Amino acid sequence: DDWMDGGDAPGEVNGLLGPMGVGKTTIACNIAVAKAKVERAKSIASGKPPRVVYLMSYEQAGVEIRKRLWCCAGQVKNSEFTFNDFSRLSSEAAQNWKPYEHDLHREMFGENAAQNRMSGEMDRLMAQKPILEHGIRIVDLSGMTPQSLPGNGFVDEMAALISADQQKCGNPGVALVIVDYVLLAAERYMSEKKIDEGKLRHVIRRFVDETRSKVAGKYGCAGWLLHQLNKDGNDGSPTKKTSHTQASEGSAFAAFLTFCASFGTKDELSSCTLLRFTKRRRAGDV
């Protein structure tokens, strides 16, 4: 929020770029959970139903995204959680915390850790259950399972799916739409419509503009579009700075964005990566 002079705003679309495997989907899940928590708090205060966060997944199947969201919200290690077996989860009642939870406890409370209790994995997950089941919709456009959609209908498909879901749940409103990720959405649409591959950069630019008008503008919500960096952005050391000008298929990706953030290559020792907001239409610290 500091970098964006207050954060994302209704009607605006922002971009998030990064090399392959840097963790864009993980960030998408974190953004979705954070926004859903805000909407939940507003709902409790106002008595109105919370607006919905939509995560449009073109790459990973919905079941995998669902697991990531639960682990993110409950701060549970991905390897420790499966929907088929809750018996492996720790709980405050059993006081069977795992080594990573003790580390998490110290990170949360610092020198006051001894004076503060922390819930177990099961407790943390159940506390976030209302947010995960009612505040976030996973729209599976991966085409990877019989339940998923092929994801070749471009922005009109996204807008229609959101509209149908809103009507189904009583039109509570849209808080945020996250698209993971644009390159796949554009390529599938081009394949379906038999559009020449040389037009890819134009189709990507059009995707961003249409998301702004047909989704963010129509529903009065913010949008986040995830996209790949080009070869130059994928290469180099972890200290190399990247920019929206290195977006795959050209810098035109950022033309209609309010903000565009770019990750650098991940450092394998620390798992850290540089993050810079290089496209900004409002004030904010780069």
Side-chain angles (χ1 to χ4, degrees):
D1 287 354
D2 292 340
W3 292 331
M4 299 173 67
D5 192 30
D8 53 28
E12 294 182 350
V13 175
N14 307 297
L16 191 62
L17 298 167
M20 291 179 287
V22 77
K24 293 187 293 297
T25 301
T26 300
I27 290 293
C29 290
N30 275 270
I31 292 173
V33 167
K35 181 68 80 172
K37 286 181 178 179
V38 169
E39 291 299 317
R40 172 77 172 171
K42 288 180 180 178
S43 173
I44 292 172
S46 67
K48 298 178 181 178
R51 296 184 303 165
V52 180
V53 175
Y54 291 90
L55 204 167
M56 326 294 291
S57 179
Y58 284 86
E59 183 180 22
Q60 296 194 23
V63 63
E64 175 59 28
I65 296 295
R66 183 170 175 243
K67 180 181 178 182
R68 282 177 177 245
L69 285 169
W70 277 69
C71 290
C72 169
Q75 293 183 289
V76 174
K77 218 172 184 178
N78 197 286
S79 60
E80 300 294 326
F81 177 61
T82 170
F83 286 108
N84 298 323
D85 184 8
F86 280 62
S87 65
R88 295 172 53 196
L89 298 176
S90 67
S91 69
E92 187 171 12
Q95 295 189 14
N96 55 346
W97 293 280
K98 297 171 183 176
Y100 88 89
E101 291 182 278
H102 289 286
D103 294 337
L104 179 63
H105 186 224
R106 285 190 291 270
E107 288 176 17
M108 290 173 62
F109 298 109
E111 60 185 23
N112 298 316
Q115 290 78 43
N116 291 274
R117 297 288 298 273
M118 185 180 74
S119 301
E121 292 169 326
M122 175 69 80
D123 311 296
R124 298 197 301 273
L125 286 172
M126 291 302 104
Q128 302 303 325
K129 191 175 180 181
I131 291 172
L132 294 160
E133 293 191 341
H134 305 294
I136 304 174
R137 299 280 195 282
I138 303 165
V139 183
D140 188 346
L141 296 160
S142 68
M144 295 180 65
T145 68
Q147 293 76 34
S148 62
L149 298 166
N152 54 17
F154 212 60
V155 177
D156 286 336
E157 180 181 35
M158 290 199 309
L161 290 167
I162 293 170
S163 178
D165 183 75
Q166 281 286 301
Q167 291 178 24
K168 182 179 178 181
C169 60
N171 294 303
V174 181
L176 182 67
V177 175
I178 305 170
V179 179
D180 184 17
Y181 62 97
V182 173
L183 183 61
L184 268 179
E187 288 179 336
R188 288 189 190 155
Y189 171 74
M190 291 175 67
S191 176
E192 175 70 15
K193 298 296 182 181
K194 298 180 172 54
I195 299 172
D196 183 81
E197 291 181 3
K199 302 287 186 181
L200 180 56
R201 66 180 56 198
H202 302 292
V203 173
I204 287 174
R205 180 183 172 123
R206 186 179 140 208
F207 188 97
V208 177
D209 188 35
E210 288 196 18
T211 300
R212 189 177 59 163
S213 60
K214 295 181 178 180
V215 176
K218 178 180 178 180
Y219 295 105
C221 66
W224 281 93
L225 303 182
L226 279 60
H227 188 44
Q228 296 276 18
L229 286 170
N230 62 17
K231 186 179 184 304
D232 180 56
N234 273 280
D235 295 338
S237 72
T239 57
K240 177 182 175 182
K241 294 177 180 178
T242 57
S243 166
H244 64 275
T245 60
Q246 295 170 298
S248 180
E249 300 304 319
S251 59
F253 168 74
F256 299 114
L257 299 175
T258 302
F259 286 90
C260 191
S262 183
F263 287 104
T265 305
K266 185 187 290 185
D267 179 76
E268 294 302 326
L269 292 176
S270 66
S271 291
C272 291
T273 173
L274 288 173
L275 172 63
R276 305 173 69 226
F277 280 78
T278 55
K279 167 71 185 292
R280 309 197 308 279
R281 284 190 178 169
R282 296 196 299 276
D285 186 356
V286 74

